[in-house]
Amino acid sequence: MKKNCENAMKAEFPSLSQNEALARALVSSFVMQLNPTVSELADIKCAVSEAVTNCIVHAYRDTVGTVYLSLKSYSDRSVKIEIKDRGCGIEDIASAMQPMFTTDREGERSGLGFTVMESFCDKLRVTSKPKKGTKVTLTKSLSRLCAN
Amino acid sequence: MDFENGSVKLTLDGETLWAHIRGEIDHHSAKSIREAIDTLLASSAPEALILELSGVTFMDSSGLGLVLGRYTKATEAGIAFSVTGATERITKMFDMAGLDRIIDYKERNTSK
Ligand SMILES: Nc1ncnc2c1ncn2[C@@H]1O[C@H](COP(=O)(O)OP(=O)(O)OP(=O)(O)O)[C@@H](O)[C@H]1O
Ligand SMILES: [Mg+2]
């Protein structure tokens, strides 16, 4: 089935922790146009929060850099969300994506961000180059609209 | 858009320290919530710490870290730790993280 991109939006913001809530609010507003269920919207907000937080705490650990957010919605009611940084990158993506894997030294991170993204979305793709940056692509298909 | 930055209200009830958390728990808000709880936990040395989560409207893995971190701190200090008021959404997060193996967050006394 051919699917057309129906709407799109881009945003970029500095990697400051107060922008985690901002990113969730932006994505919510965008997805809201498609009438998602409460649980679909909560899944998307949570997955986006994980990816954006990772840019802030890992990619730009000791600096402030730019986080790039791109949103697209398609005629088949799928939503594609890209979260990109030009930070430190990931050496070994497969290990990083394992549940409980974390490079955090302060000890309050549980290493479950990728696990959350994977279980709350239909597709998760991670590409990364050490010292260049990381791109996380989340895809979620929303259920059919029911007449109400 | 209704979102409220996560915050915590602490009350000491006898030997029990209650932490009523509300709003959105993410990496940004977790820091001050963590500091507030840990400060009072150290100064009041209670017998039990209860995290009350019924007012939490959003939580990601930073919230899991907050809960697990308090669990570890309390347990190491010999303080009984529990969680109450977990909504359906938060229960889903806890289940996914496998927290049910170490923390009892499912309400048992559901009417009847
Ligand atoms: N954008 C990124 N740039 C660089 N490294 C990253 C990035 N995202 C993730 N990582 C690496 O992958 C690891 C796993 O990420 P994940 O989100 O699963 O766990 P965490 O962030 O360590 O902990 P949690 O998300 O549970 O708080 C991180 O510890 C970090 O080493
Ligand atoms: Mg993370």
Side-chain angles (χ1 to χ4, degrees), chain A residues 16-22 24-26 28-29 32 38-40 42-46 49-50 53 56-57 100 107-110 112-113 115-116 119-120, chain B residues 1-5 24-30 34 38 57-70 73 89 92-93 96-99 101:
Chain A
L16 305 171
S17 64
Q18 68 259 39
N19 288 333
E20 292 155 11
L22 176 69
R24 293 196 297 274
L26 285 171
S28 289
S29 304
M32 216 81 114
V38 172
S39 129
E40 284 166 348
D43 286 350
I44 292 171
K45 275 175 73 175
C46 199
S49 197
E50 295 299 347
T53 302
I56 295 168
V57 302
M100 318 292 252
E108 288 267 305
R109 313 224 65 86
S110 40
L112 289 167
T115 311
V116 167
S119 54
F120 288 172
Chain B
M1 190 131 296
D2 77 295
F3 87 86
E4 179 191 351
N5 222 321
E24 302 200 323
I25 313 179
D26 60 9
H27 155 255
H28 180 70
S29 65
R34 177 174 69 230
D38 288 357
T57 53
F58 172 85
M59 172 191 279
D60 61 16
S61 67
S62 300
L64 294 173
L66 178 78
V67 173
L68 276 166
R70 306 296 66 62
K73 252 210 157 86
R89 186 74 206 173
K92 187 174 170 185
M93 285 289 289
M96 199 193 58
L99 253 60
R101 282 172 287 142

Side-chain angles (χ1 to χ4, degrees), chain A residues 50 54-55 58-59 85 88-90 96 101-104 109-114 134, chain B residues 61:
Chain A
E50 295 299 347
N54 280 349
C55 300
H58 302 299
D85 65 70
C88 67
I90 304 174
F101 178 96
T102 183
T103 51
D104 175 56
R109 313 224 65 86
S110 40
L112 289 167
F114 280 128
T134 301
Chain B
S61 67

Side-chain angles (χ1 to χ4, degrees), chain B residues 4-36:
Chain B
E4 179 191 351
N5 222 321
S7 62
V8 63
K9 195 181 98 199
L10 295 155
T11 51
L12 201 53
D13 173 16
E15 287 298 316
T16 302
L17 177 60
W18 283 85
H20 302 272
I21 306 178
R22 51 177 300 124
E24 302 200 323
I25 313 179
D26 60 9
H27 155 255
H28 180 70
S29 65
K31 187 169 181 276
S32 59
I33 298 173
R34 177 174 69 230
E35 287 167 357

